[in-house]
């Protein structure tokens, strides 16, 4: 039992009572006998109620010496019920035996708080929790530490503990919402990455086709440019030939005109005399 208590208490920062043996998992006969006894007591209760309803003998009244439980005991019971509702008892099996362990109802002192802080730092170091970023280990340990603080405060003031329970549930709900949003964003990013990978092959084929078309167009441009240069060269040569012919004709016509002018002057000169 001591070994089970040590093993169970070291697994969490929340302070628990010593585990209590609930039942043996292999002992089925005792369970059946207990069920039969419960049924028998239930049948006796029903028969007693029927007798009272039929007008049977009255039930003897309790003696006047009995006292009601004190208010402090009732208050402690209510606090324990609230504490068990906030932090339910946990069950675990070991060596074929079922153990149950409830949260400790011992009020905490300043030494306990300092010890809790030291245990938190020690577990963060032992489990190598990351100081920044998303770390499930750090989140788990701080959640256990917060539960332990709720336990300590609930023992002092149950209403304050219930309010802290609402704060804890709201924090967990907010973290769950952020986690869902993070997972959906990661899934969206993965889908976009897969779509990009699928479209990458098509884009590569399109790039190859465009590069091939570019080379063909460049070859066509080079061919047309060569043709244009050839045409310009032929036109320049033809223009030079035409200009040369035109210059020769002009010289010929000038010489012819000069000869005719000379002949005309020679013909007209004797006639004037």
């Amino acid at each position: 039992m001591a070994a089970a208590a040590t093993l169970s208490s070291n697994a969490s920062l929340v302070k628990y009572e010593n585990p209590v043996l609930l039942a043996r998992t292999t002992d089925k006969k005792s369970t059946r006998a207990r069920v039969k006894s419960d049924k028998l007591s239930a049948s006796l209760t029903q028969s007693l109620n029927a007798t009272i309803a039929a007008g049977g003998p009255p039930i003897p009244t309790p003696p006047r010496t009995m006292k009601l439980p004190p208010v402090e005991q009732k208050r402690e019971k209510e606090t324990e019920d609230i504490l068990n509702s906030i932090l339910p008892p946990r069950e675990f099996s070991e060596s074929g035996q079922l153990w149950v362990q409830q949260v400790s109802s011992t009020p905490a002192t300043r030494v306990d708080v300092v010890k809790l802080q030291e245990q938190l730092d020690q577990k963060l170091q032992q489990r190598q929790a990351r100081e920044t970023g998303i770390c499930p280990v750090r989140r788990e340990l701080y959640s256990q530490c917060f539960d332990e603080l709720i336990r300590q405060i609930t023992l002092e003031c149950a209403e304050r503990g219930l309010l802290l329970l609402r704060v804890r549930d709201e924090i967990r709900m907010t973290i769950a919402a952020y986690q869902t949003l993070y997972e959906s964003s990661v899934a969206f990013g993965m889908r976009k990455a897969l779509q990009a990978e699928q479209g990458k092959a098509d884009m590569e084929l399109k790039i190859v086709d465009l590069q091939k078309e570019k080379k063909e167009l460049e070859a066509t441009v080079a061919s047309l440019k060569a043709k244009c240069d050839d045409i310009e060269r032929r036109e320049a040569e033809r223009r030079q030939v035409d200009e040369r012919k035109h210059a020769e004709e002009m010289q010929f016509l000038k010489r012819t005109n000069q000869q005719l002018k000379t002949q005309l002057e020679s013909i007209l000169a004797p006639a004037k005399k």
Side-chain angles (χ1 to χ4, degrees):
M1 181 175 178
T6 304
L7 178 62
S8 182
S9 62
N10 289 335
S12 175
L13 292 175
V14 182
K15 189 175 181 180
Y16 283 88
E17 298 286 355
N18 292 330
V20 179
L21 180 61
L22 185 63
R24 294 180 182 271
T25 56
T26 57
D27 191 3
K28 298 182 180 179
K29 294 182 179 180
S30 61
T31 305
R32 292 177 181 176
R34 187 165 56 253
V35 171
K36 288 182 179 180
S37 64
D38 293 339
K39 290 182 178 179
L40 181 59
S41 62
S43 62
L44 290 175
T45 304
Q46 291 178 359
S47 63
L48 183 60
N49 292 332
T51 303
I52 296 172
I59 300 176
T61 58
R64 295 182 179 180
T65 56
M66 294 181 62
K67 295 182 180 180
L68 294 175
V71 179
E72 291 78 6
Q73 185 177 358
K74 185 179 179 181
R75 181 65 177 177
E76 291 178 359
K77 181 63 177 177
E78 292 179 355
T79 303
E80 290 181 1
D81 293 339
I82 294 174
L83 189 60
N84 289 330
S85 64
I86 296 175
L87 300 171
R90 57 182 183 180
E91 298 179 358
F92 59 94
S93 298
E94 185 177 353
S95 301
Q97 296 177 344
L98 183 61
W99 298 82
V100 64
Q101 193 174 21
Q102 293 184 348
V103 180
S104 177
S105 59
T106 305
T109 60
R110 182 177 180 276
V111 178
D112 294 332
V113 178
V114 174
K115 185 177 179 181
L116 176 63
Q117 183 179 1
E118 293 176 354
Q119 289 179 354
L120 176 62
D121 296 336
Q122 183 179 2
K123 285 185 177 292
L124 287 173
Q125 187 176 4
Q126 287 178 354
R127 299 182 62 178
Q128 297 179 356
R130 288 182 293 182
E131 296 181 358
T132 57
I134 299 174
C135 181
V137 176
R138 189 180 74 248
R139 176 187 170 187
E140 178 186 357
L141 292 176
Y142 274 98
S143 178
Q144 293 176 6
C145 182
F146 193 60
D147 290 341
E148 172 62 18
L149 292 177
I150 292 176
R151 183 196 71 83
Q152 297 176 5
I153 294 173
T154 304
L155 293 174
E156 297 178 0
C157 179
E159 291 76 9
R160 198 181 304 164
L162 292 174
L163 184 58
L164 284 177
L165 175 64
R166 291 182 57 185
V167 174
R168 185 195 69 179
D169 293 340
E170 178 64 25
I171 291 173
R172 289 182 177 178
M173 186 173 62
T174 304
I175 292 176
Y178 281 128
Q179 186 175 2
T180 303
L181 181 62
Y182 172 75
E183 292 175 355
S184 62
S185 63
V186 170
F188 178 77
M190 291 296 295
R191 287 197 301 270
K192 287 298 182 180
L194 291 176
Q195 291 177 1
E197 288 293 332
Q198 292 176 358
K200 185 178 180 180
D202 298 336
M203 292 299 294
E204 289 179 351
L205 292 175
K206 188 175 181 179
I207 290 173
V208 171
D209 294 338
L210 290 175
Q211 288 179 350
K212 183 178 180 181
E213 184 179 359
K214 177 187 174 184
K215 290 181 180 179
E216 293 177 354
L217 291 175
E218 287 178 350
T220 304
V221 169
S223 177
L224 292 176
K225 189 175 181 180
K227 289 182 180 180
C228 184
D229 294 339
D230 189 19
I231 291 171
E232 287 180 354
R233 187 177 62 256
R234 288 200 301 267
E235 288 296 324
E237 292 177 354
R238 185 179 62 79
R239 187 168 55 252
Q240 289 178 0
V241 171
D242 292 341
E243 288 178 355
R244 189 168 56 251
K245 288 181 178 180
H246 180 70
E248 291 176 354
E249 289 178 358
M250 288 292 294
Q251 292 295 331
F252 176 74
L253 291 174
K254 285 181 179 181
R255 285 195 303 269
T256 303
N257 187 20
Q258 187 66 29
Q259 290 176 1
L260 292 175
K261 185 177 180 181
T262 304
Q263 290 178 2
L264 182 60
E265 289 177 354
S266 62
I267 291 172
L268 294 175
K272 289 181 180 181
K273 291 180 180 182

